[in-house]
Amino acid sequence: MLIPVVVVISAMWLPVALLFLGKGEAKGTGFITGVVGALVLVGSMVHVAVFKDPVVPTLLFMHGTFYCSVSWALMTGQEDLRSVGNVSLATAIVSTIYTILFITGGPVLEGGEQLVAPSKYLAMGCAGYAALTFMVWLNAFGKFPAKALAWSLIIWVVVGLWIPGFWLMATGKLPF
């Protein structure tokens, strides 16, 4: 379930990045952002229900909520994006916590198991998501240029979505 969710997120990030570069329009971009947000939320719930894994889907659920806030702002033509920035800040903090969890493996649970298996790749991915959402927060408050955010999103579509998504699909494991 996670592979299609990770890949479909690029259908939000890339159009938003292109919009920030002046290559798109807000309402159409907002619509696809809402579709992606809804798919991420549903995919997260399905993954929790089917695979009994609350860890990664919780991170995806947070991002899906953020995508829905971006969608609403774009579709309604909001000019003051600080509310989206604040949701982005919450998402950035959650992604930072996940970075730490994937570096350390989290707390040891009853029976000696860790909350998650340490993963350098997932830690790097979460750090990238945290950086991007911190950039969105700063951009919403006029402290980070839209063009730099756009190029960061485009780069991270490849590094943080397509490489892990297609690598995992093709090999059954993450790149490292």
Side-chain angles (χ1 to χ4, degrees):
M1 185 74 224
L2 292 178
I3 295 169
V5 169
V6 169
V7 173
V8 81
I9 291 170
S10 68
M12 176 264 186
W13 285 12
L14 190 59
V16 168
L18 294 172
L19 178 67
F20 283 169
L21 293 173
K23 309 288 184 202
E25 57 83 33
K27 289 187 180 180
T29 303
F31 176 77
I32 191 60
T33 300
V35 169
V36 169
L39 288 171
V40 170
L41 292 172
V42 169
S44 298
M45 289 184 272
V46 168
H47 190 86
V48 167
V50 172
F51 298 104
K52 309 295 185 224
D53 169 24
V55 178
V56 174
T58 300
L59 176 64
L60 288 172
F61 200 89
M62 187 69 195
H63 281 267
T65 303
F66 167 59
Y67 303 157
C68 288
S69 75
V70 172
S71 172
W72 178 257
L74 292 173
M75 290 181 71
T76 60
Q78 290 181 10
E79 292 183 24
D80 183 350
L81 297 177
R82 291 178 296 172
S83 61
V84 172
N86 290 335
V87 176
S88 185
L89 175 61
T91 305
I93 292 167
V94 168
S95 294
T96 301
I97 292 167
Y98 268 81
T99 301
I100 295 165
L101 285 175
F102 284 121
I103 289 170
T104 65
V108 177
L109 306 173
E110 289 183 34
E113 288 185 44
Q114 281 191 294
L115 180 63
V116 297
S119 169
K120 292 177 185 173
Y121 194 86
L122 290 175
M124 181 205 65
C126 289
Y129 305 142
L132 285 174
T133 48
F134 277 123
M135 288 178 209
V136 171
W137 171 60
L138 291 170
N139 175 265
F141 283 86
K143 305 293 183 193
F144 194 82
K147 192 174 234 182
L149 174 57
W151 284 109
S152 297
L153 285 167
I154 290 168
I155 291 166
W156 206 249
V157 162
V158 175
V159 174
L161 297 172
W162 290 342
I163 290 174
F166 291 114
W167 192 289
L168 188 57
M169 182 176 57
T171 68
K173 59 183 182 162
L174 291 169
F176 60 85

